[in-house]
Each structure stands twice: as structure tokens, then as C-alpha cells.
Amino acid sequence: MYIQISRFSILLFLSILTSTVLSAGPVHEFLSSDGKSKTKQEEEEGRKTSPSKREIPRSEETSSPSPKIEAKVKKEKEESVASTEPSSQKSKRVQRRKKGKNKVSKKEKQEIKEKEKEKETASKKYENSLPGVSGLPPKTQYDANAQNATAELGHGKGIPVLCYHHLVGNQDPMGGYNLDPSLLEEQLKYLKSLGYQTISLDQFYQYQQGKAGSDFPARPVLLTFDDGSLTHRDVLVPLLKKYGMRASVFIYPTVISNPRYKFYLSWAQLKEALDSGVLDIGSHTVYHPKLPAMSRAEIRSQLKDSKKTLEAKTGRKIQDLAYPFGLFDVRVIEEAKAAGYRMAFTVNPGKNVPGTYAYTIHRSLVTWGMSQSRFNSILSASPPVKIQLGVPDGSWVKPGDSFPVIVEGLDPKSVAIKISGKEGIVQRKTNTEYIIRIPEFKKTTYPAMTVIGKTLAGKRSETQFLFVNRKEFKKDPD
């Protein structure tokens, strides 16, 4: 009896001792949700997610830990418990756990190394980068003496309109939509070597209306710069003067003299740039919205208020418009006409010829690191004799809709019509008439239709149009 009581006492004492060790050690602190102290991992995670360091998106606030984190936590729990057992009772299972821990650590080191490499690579990229463009060399050199075999094809056939934005060097604020100043200079020299002459908005309008005078350049080009970057005064104006050229700027007023936007002009700086005599000015709406997503009343306000503000601030008549993001629909065109604009520019590539619709002027984006061959392809593309859509450019459509398209002046065998990269032709009725069907898209709000081919003389042709995918809107804006 005495022996049994003694054994019971010893067991009770060991039980109390073990309980005390567990409650005071790291296992309790890790497992207890009410514990005041934290594990090293929790402290590190707390620092990573501290509101003072990083603002947590709402989508992350309610998300559960990833499977990798959960697995790691589970292993650490098991290993912490195992560390409190007497060394004499360590089993092969615990040893395997330790071995497994070493493997995980190596994997983690590799993951950390990869993340650091990704971080280093990301630091070399630019804000708002354009996939497939921003990674190209910023200072591509153009050699006018080593043109492509097709360099002369199409030059002089229609007017190319080029669309630029910022002109900042490395670590630019606009990613793909910025151009290194040295590259702009390369392009200006290249244009001059090919015999191109820049024209004003007034000259372009006269040409588009079929009223170009006898002194109109044989190879005209219209240079346009959107938004109102400070570099338009500091970089663009000096280069235009140096090469005897001119350009047009499209401005949205809310960014001008706004202390939040250090890369943009003030009203005084804008006026100084315009007074240089080498710039024209047009509207880019009030605050650069996606116009087709707005109600008609909002569209009207954007177009009228911008025009009024720019005229009041600059003292110049505003007659032309550039659609923000190049987006428009039939309502936008109607409101642009009503607001008193004579022309409106898209960012749909293609040449402009007399008779090109004044409110869907084709314009090609010039982006970061653009190669000489790509730049030349914009200049040399030859427009077809005629392209006629069975629906208006800028129409609201939905997958399955079909309509005819007439294309004249291109080799029928070369004609391809793509809608946001997908096949658009469902029937070739004749050598000039095609039936087009809108394909299914995944989250494509503004599908572009591109007509490509070759002229009968073998010259490359590319012309683009824009639609609005009704399926992406829960309801029409109006």
C-alpha cells in the first residue's frame, strides 16, 4: 500500500512539473491566442503587415493563411512540442522531422533567393509598364542609312499621326507610355531623313477635308503629345526648334498646376510652351476618364468643361479632341460634335486620307524602346482604297453579333480581320465583302477590330477600329 502511494506521489509530482514547463515555455506562447508574448515568426509577420508600413487591401483582410504558411506553422508546432521531451525518448520519427525541417529550410532559402532576384528585376522595370514594350532598350538607335527593304513602301500615302506621352529617361514615371528623350531625337532625325515634314492641326484638318493647298508637304506627319507632361516644355519644345518641326499637345485641365502631380505642367509653364510657336493645343477631357462607361450627361460635361477651361486659361481656341485611352462610342462622337469640336483622335492605328471620318482619326502609339522597324511600319503602311463597316465605329456589340465589312484595294488572299486577336471573318461573300462575327471574350471591354493585308502592289496595310463589349456592362450607362 505504501509502495503504491509513493508511486502515485511521484507520478503526480512529475505531472505538475511537466505542466509547469509547458505553460511557461514557447509552446504555450505559440498556441495560446491570449498570450501576451509572441514567437519570432509572429513578430516578423506583424512587422510585415503593420498598417504603418503597408496598407492592407480589403481583399487580404479576410483571407485565410496560404497552405504553405499553414504547413510551416504545423511543423513548428510539432517540433516545439518535440523539443520539450527528454532526449532519451527522441524517436526516429522526431529525427525524421528534424531532417525534414532542414529540407524545408533549404527550400525556404531558395525561395528567399528567388524573391530577392525577382525584387531586383522588378526594380529595373517602370511604373505602369506596358507588357512586351517596357522591357525593350530605352535608347534604340535609328540608322537612316540602313532602312528596311520595305522602308519606301507606302510613304506619302495618307498621313500617319503619332501619339506620345512623357519624355523622361531611365526610372521614368509612365512606363511604356514614356519615351527616352534621346529616342525621340532619333525619331525626329529619322523622319527628317525620309523627307517627312510636320504639320499643324489646322493643316491636318484642311487635308482631311480635301482642301490641302498647293504648298502642302509631300510627306506630312502629325506629332501629338497627350496629357501635359512637364517634359513637353523642357524636352519637346527645344527638340522641335532644333529640327524645325512642330507638334500638338492634348491637355486635361485637372492635372495642370496640381501639386499632386509633380511631372505635369503648371498653367504658366503651359502658356510658356505654347508661346514657343511650335505647339498647337487640343482637349483631352477634364480628368481623363473612360468616356464610353459614362452617362451622356457626364460625357457632355467632360467635353464642354474641358474646352471652356482650356480656352479661359490659355487664351487659345480649342477645336480638337483626343479621346482618353482612345476610347469612344457613338454617344461620345455625338457629344463631341455638339460641343464644337471639329476633329477627334483615337489610338487606333492606320493612315488618314482625305475623307477619313473626322471623329475617328487614326493615331498610332509610340512607346518605350520602339524599334526602328516597328516605327517604320507605322509610317509605311498603305491604307486600302476603301473600308466600310456595316455598323458605326465605336458601336456597342455583344458576342455573336454579325455585320458586313467591305474592303477594297487589298489583295483578297491577304485580307485578315481580327477582333482583339481572334478570327472575325465567318464568310467571304466576294473578293471585297466579308461577314464578321463578334467572338466570345474573357473580360475584354473594348475589343479592337484590325483589318490587315497587302495592296495589289504588295504594300502592307493595317487599319484598326473600336467596339464596346455590352456584355461587360451590367447596364447601359444611360
Side-chain angles (χ1 to χ4, degrees):
M1 181 68 177
Y2 175 79
I3 293 172
Q4 288 179 346
I5 291 172
S6 298
R7 286 178 179 174
F8 177 78
S9 299
I10 292 169
L11 288 172
L12 180 61
F13 172 77
L14 289 173
S15 176
I16 292 170
L17 178 63
T18 303
S19 176
T20 303
V21 171
L22 289 174
S23 64
V27 178
H28 172 76
E29 291 173 354
F30 192 90
L31 298 178
S32 174
S33 59
D34 298 325
K36 292 183 180 180
S37 58
K38 297 181 179 179
T39 65
K40 184 177 180 181
Q41 181 193 7
E42 286 177 322
E43 289 174 350
E44 289 175 352
E45 289 179 356
R47 285 195 294 270
K48 288 179 183 177
T49 58
S50 172
S52 62
K53 297 282 185 180
R54 174 179 177 267
E55 184 177 351
I56 303 173
R58 290 183 181 178
S59 60
E60 293 181 18
E61 289 176 350
T62 56
S63 62
S64 58
S66 68
K68 286 185 178 180
I69 294 175
E70 288 181 339
K72 183 180 176 184
V73 169
K74 184 177 180 182
K75 283 183 177 295
E76 289 183 357
K77 285 181 184 179
E78 292 171 349
E79 288 157 8
S80 296
V81 172
S83 67
T84 63
E85 298 177 2
S87 58
S88 60
Q89 296 182 9
K90 287 182 179 178
S91 63
K92 291 183 179 180
R93 183 185 301 174
V94 175
Q95 292 174 2
R96 284 198 299 270
R97 285 175 186 161
K98 283 195 171 184
K99 190 176 180 181
K101 182 180 178 181
N102 291 334
K103 287 183 179 179
V104 171
S105 296
K106 288 180 181 179
K107 187 178 179 181
E108 286 175 353
K109 286 180 182 179
Q110 183 63 29
E111 288 177 352
I112 291 170
K113 192 175 181 181
E114 288 175 357
K115 284 181 181 179
E116 287 176 350
K117 189 176 180 181
E118 288 175 3
K119 187 176 181 181
E120 184 181 351
T121 303
S123 67
K124 295 178 182 178
K125 293 185 178 180
Y126 312 96
E127 296 175 24
N128 304 319
S129 61
L130 191 65
V133 175
S134 295
L136 295 175
K139 297 184 179 181
T140 303
Q141 292 186 339
Y142 286 21
D143 185 358
N145 297 318
Q147 299 177 32
N148 295 345
T150 59
E152 289 297 313
L153 296 183
H155 287 301
K157 304 290 184 181
I159 299 181
V161 181
L162 306 180
C163 176
Y164 298 84
H165 290 80
H166 281 260
L167 299 168
V168 185
N170 281 338
Q171 304 306 319
D172 62 279
M174 282 289 286
Y177 297 104
N178 170 62
L179 207 73
D180 190 282
S182 65
L183 181 52
L184 175 63
E185 186 164 12
E186 288 287 312
Q187 292 177 352
L188 296 183
K189 289 190 293 185
Y190 184 63
L191 288 169
K192 201 158 190 175
S193 72
L194 292 177
Y196 278 93
Q197 291 178 264
T198 55
I199 59 175
S200 66
L201 288 172
D202 285 342
Q203 287 176 300
F204 181 86
Y205 179 72
Q206 291 300 317
Y207 169 89
Q208 184 266 338
Q209 294 292 306
K211 299 177 182 179
S214 57
D215 60 343
F216 195 75
R219 283 191 178 176
V221 61
L222 179 62
L223 307 180
T224 67
F225 292 76
D226 286 0
D227 299 344
S229 169
L230 184 60
T231 62
H232 295 168
R233 182 199 66 166
D234 296 344
V235 177
L236 175 60
V237 168
L239 283 176
L240 292 175
K241 287 183 175 181
K242 181 177 179 179
Y243 292 98
M245 296 181 171
R246 69 179 302 111
S248 303
V249 292
F250 289 98
I251 306 295
Y252 62 104
T254 53
V255 81
I256 305 300
S257 284
N258 190 331
R260 293 175 57 194
Y261 302 105
K262 63 180 179 179
F263 296 111
Y264 293 83
L265 294 161
S266 66
W267 287 113
Q269 290 166 336
L270 175 58
K271 191 175 186 304
E272 180 186 343
L274 295 172
D275 287 343
S276 68
V278 294
L279 292 181
D280 299 319
I281 184 173
S283 166
H284 205 31
T285 71
V286 176
Y287 60 77
H288 208 286
K290 293 181 179 179
L291 292 173
M294 306 180 87
S295 69
R296 185 179 283 269
E298 291 171 325
I299 294 168
R300 185 179 302 125
S301 176
Q302 284 288 322
L303 302 185
K304 285 189 173 183
D305 293 352
S306 174
K307 190 174 188 295
K308 182 179 178 181
T309 300
L310 288 171
E311 288 180 340
K313 291 287 188 178
T314 66
R316 287 166 169 78
K317 189 174 182 180
I318 304 299
Q319 303 181 85
D320 307 300
L321 169 71
Y323 301 124
F325 308 103
L327 301 178
F328 62 95
D329 65 8
V330 175
R331 298 169 308 138
V332 174
I333 292 173
E334 290 172 353
E335 292 301 327
K337 289 180 183 178
Y341 292 100
R342 63 180 177 179
M343 290 187 295
F345 292 79
T346 70
V347 288
N348 294 332
K351 287 284 193 67
N352 298 280
V353 296
T356 296
Y357 189 44
Y359 296 92
T360 55
I361 299 296
H362 297 287
R363 193 166 61 137
S364 299
L365 283 168
V366 181
T367 48
W368 181 259
M370 181 173 280
S371 66
Q372 179 176 341
S373 60
R374 176 56 190 155
F375 185 73
N376 192 74
S377 71
I378 294 173
L379 302 175
S380 62
S382 184
V385 174
K386 176 183 178 181
I387 295 183
Q388 182 179 320
L389 309 187
V391 295
D393 196 0
S395 290
W396 284 62
V397 298
K398 60 181 182 298
D401 287 354
S402 60
F403 53 89
V405 171
I406 295 173
V407 181
E408 296 179 3
L410 298 183
D411 179 358
K413 294 179 181 178
S414 72
V415 173
I417 301 178
K418 302 288 185 179
I419 303 179
S420 289
K422 295 189 175 184
E423 181 60 56
I425 300 175
V426 292
Q427 184 183 357
R428 297 175 183 261
K429 295 189 71 174
T430 67
N431 284 340
T432 59
E433 187 175 358
Y434 308 85
I435 301 299
I436 305 302
R437 180 175 296 146
I438 304 296
E440 287 285 347
F441 297 110
K442 287 185 178 179
K443 296 183 179 179
T444 301
T445 309
Y446 302 99
M449 186 180 84
T450 307
V451 179
I452 56 177
K454 290 185 178 180
T455 66
L456 299 178
K459 299 176 181 179
R460 190 189 68 83
S461 180
E462 178 182 346
T463 310
Q464 188 170 288
F465 304 90
L466 183 79
F467 298 120
V468 183
N469 186 3
R470 189 180 299 276
K471 192 176 179 181
E472 289 298 312
F473 290 82
K474 292 181 180 179
K475 64 178 183 177
D476 290 352
D478 285 317

